Amino acid sequence: MENYKWNLGEMFESDEAFEKAFAEFSRDFEGIARWKGILGNSKENIVGYLKESDELERRGYNMLVYAHMRNDLDTRDSKSQDILTRIERAMTNYSMANSFAGPELLAVDEDVLRSIPNEPGMADYSHMIDNLIRNKKHVLSPELENMLAMTKQFSDAADKAYGKLKDADLVYEDVADSEGKAHPLTEASYGKYMESRDRVLRKNTFEKKYAAYISHINTFASLLESEVKKNIFYARARGFESARHAALHGNNVPVSVMDSMIDAVHANLPTLYRVFDIRRRALGYDELHLYDNNVTIADCDFEVPFEEGKKMVLEAVKIYGSDYAEIAECGLNSGWADVYESEGKRGGAYSWGSYDSAPYMLLNYNDTLDSVFTLAHELGHSMHSYYTRKAQPYVNSHYATFVAEVASTCNECLLNDYLLKNEKDADKRKYIIGNFIDSFKGTIFRQAMFAEFERDIHARVEAGGSLTVDYLCDHYLELVKLYFGPNVVCDEQIKYEWARIPHFYMNFYVFQYSTGFSAAVALSKQILEGRTDNAFKFLSSGGSDYPIQILRNAGIEMETSETVENALKVFKQLVDEYEILAK
């Protein structure tokens, strides 16, 4: 089983090694203050400061990533919690010590700043300087910047409390199947049970899942309102029109991109309604309930053990070329992935790592086809990180959230294409197409619904309203009814679903799943046509330019609705074949 666990020892071989690095960082970052008050005296000072601050940030972030991932393996472990708390505090202290830099740099003549990339060894800082100048009007005085930096000690309190409540403290009752047999309900098993052909098990799973959230619903509402107020506070402190403008400003993405995505999705909801009606008829139900929406209509099972799923994914990505495929295989065989659910482990899946570490993946693999697609997705993230860190210096190594879901979802598209090209059995094709339709449903439509909810709750608080349990539940239910349409019974429990969505604590991240999926469909089309140059150009770009320009350089335009609409045309084609196969 060790082959299926993270090898975090490559980051820090022991607690002693971590403590040594921590002590050195805690000592060294205080030295950054020596640049205070003199940054604008010369170009040499600016160059010296930028290089030193990047080196310190790189070291600190490496420890922060390690501590987070270690804690995610067992959220109950007190030693891991202590390490995480201390490095978070140290990074906050570093941010406070470093808070003078933004105002001082922006006090420098703009022409001098723009000339910094012409200095020896500084060419890679061109985009960073341009972005610094772009943010000038939102940077505050040194005193206020220091005060805002101090707030980072508690700014993630709602998110952390939400995570502890959801992952460590929430208790689920066992669920019974149609034969009365009890099954343990966990975050990971929930998805598997909801795909079961046993309708009684699905219904009981659905109801027991939300019963746990209902028992803490007032706490969840309070945490979410606190998170929204935090976002609004930082936006107003920096002079932004709204929290949404502030969140999208970081990636230089107009809010119109989010709005046009939601509008395009609304226009294509009738195609989604068709999916639900196809499923209802194929299952032979008079009514389709929400707990029926993840069960396949195919008369076959698709149980995929991890090794088999890994082989599928690696075969699918061979279309990139031997370099990509060999690196991916080596990573999956050498501790990049923590594969299986374990007690106390964080639920869900992600890809993470630092500039100096492997691009790690957290999985909770449960032998379903959906788990195979999750593996492909997280591998896409990790390979994006791998190529970025290989091609870019540290200053340009953090790709923007707006492009973060493109490489990952592109891999899902490639996997779907590989499976369909190698499967002739009509029933299995029905299963595969249904699964990918669910990916469209979950990544474009569902995330658009989340984005609309997130937009609305922030706007309500900005207008002076409050996020009561009744408002959150009623408004969420309205959106569910809009997105699921007339062919689905919207069971009462679904109005509490907002409480179990961790992405509402990620400050307008969710809409980027929808735009990212749409861009991924476009990129995968190029790869499948044998045009991989743009894909590797994209994977290697990191944060060297603004995300919309990085996608434009890869032949994908996001400032119009065209890319989203083209992806939804692909969705309609899948639904057309799905309907034929379902008859």
Side-chain angles (χ1 to χ4, degrees), residues 363-552:
L363 307 172
N364 280 279
Y365 195 91
N366 62 4
D367 293 352
T368 61
L369 187 62
D370 187 57
S371 281
V372 182
F373 274 88
T374 298
L375 172 60
H377 183 98
E378 301 307 335
L379 180 65
H381 279 307
S382 290
M383 294 301 289
H384 189 182
S385 298
Y386 176 88
Y387 279 104
T388 285
R389 293 164 191 164
K390 182 180 178 181
Q392 297 294 336
Y394 179 77
V395 67
N396 293 329
S397 64
H398 302 291
Y399 47 79
T401 54
F402 189 77
V403 299
E405 298 301 327
V406 176
S408 54
T409 311
C410 180
N411 272 12
E412 292 191 58
C413 296
L414 298 179
L415 175 60
N416 185 69
D417 183 81
Y418 167 79
L419 293 173
L420 289 176
K421 282 179 177 175
N422 289 278
E423 186 55 69
K424 304 304 179 186
D425 181 82
D427 213 42
K428 287 190 174 180
R429 287 184 65 83
K430 189 194 306 181
Y431 191 108
I432 294 165
I433 291 173
N435 187 77
F436 202 56
I437 283 174
D438 284 344
S439 292
F440 266 92
K441 174 167 67 74
T443 313
I444 292 187
F445 291 96
R446 182 170 168 82
Q447 302 301 328
M449 184 181 79
F450 290 166
E452 192 166 353
F453 180 73
E454 189 175 23
R455 182 184 67 182
D456 293 350
I457 62 176
H458 279 80
R460 178 178 175 84
V461 176
E462 285 168 335
S466 61
L467 300 183
T468 63
V469 170
D470 286 346
Y471 169 78
L472 290 167
C473 291
D474 291 346
H475 187 57
Y476 193 84
L477 185 59
E478 287 177 13
L479 291 174
V480 171
K481 289 179 177 178
L482 170 65
Y483 277 77
F484 282 81
N487 301 325
V488 180
V489 176
C490 292
D491 304 272
E492 177 77 5
Q493 292 87 349
I494 199 63
K495 70 182 184 180
Y496 301 102
E497 186 182 40
W498 56 266
R500 59 174 287 253
I501 308 304
H503 294 82
F504 292 148
Y505 295 80
M506 296 174 69
N507 197 13
F508 291 97
Y509 188 99
V510 288
F511 90 95
Q512 294 163 117
Y513 282 109
S514 300
T515 54
F517 195 107
S518 302
V521 171
L523 190 64
S524 67
K525 183 175 185 293
Q526 295 182 30
I527 296 169
L528 291 168
E529 291 171 350
R531 297 180 289 130
T532 59
D533 287 352
N534 277 345
F536 282 106
K537 184 188 301 181
F538 169 76
L539 292 173
S540 302
S541 293
S544 60
D545 207 336
Y546 297 112
I548 283 183
Q549 187 58 48
I550 285 173
L551 287 171
R552 187 173 290 130

Side-chain angles (χ1 to χ4, degrees), residues 153-224:
Q153 296 179 85
F154 53 81
S155 64
D156 62 349
D159 180 26
K160 291 176 75 172
Y162 171 82
K164 292 296 182 186
L165 177 57
K166 179 176 179 289
D167 295 328
D169 295 339
L170 215 60
V171 177
Y172 303 110
E173 295 181 27
D174 289 351
V175 293
D177 61 22
S178 58
E179 297 178 353
K181 181 180 178 181
H183 300 267
L185 178 58
T186 66
E187 280 290 333
S189 67
Y190 175 78
K192 190 171 186 177
Y193 297 162
M194 292 302 286
E195 294 177 5
S196 170
R197 286 190 174 84
D198 187 331
R199 198 180 194 193
V200 173
L201 177 61
R202 295 199 307 271
K203 182 176 186 292
N204 288 339
T205 297
F206 180 83
E207 291 177 352
K208 294 293 187 184
K209 176 77 169 180
Y210 287 105
Y213 282 88
I214 292 169
S215 66
H216 296 281
I217 199 64
N218 289 297
T219 302
F220 281 116
S222 179
L223 291 172
L224 184 56

Side-chain angles (χ1 to χ4, degrees), residues 23-41:
E24 292 172 350
F25 173 75
S26 300
R27 178 196 67 213
D28 293 347
F29 80 67
E30 294 180 358
I32 202 74
R34 76 180 186 280
W35 300 104
K36 186 176 182 179
I38 64 169
L39 271 184
N41 291 358

Side-chain angles (χ1 to χ4, degrees), residues 132-163:
L132 179 71
I133 294 170
R134 184 178 71 88
N135 283 287
K136 185 172 183 176
K137 67 179 181 179
H138 300 293
V139 175
L140 308 178
S141 68
E143 293 77 17
L144 289 176
E145 286 292 336
N146 184 63
M147 185 170 292
L148 284 185
M150 290 171 64
T151 67
K152 291 183 179 180
Q153 296 179 85
F154 53 81
S155 64
D156 62 349
D159 180 26
K160 291 176 75 172
Y162 171 82

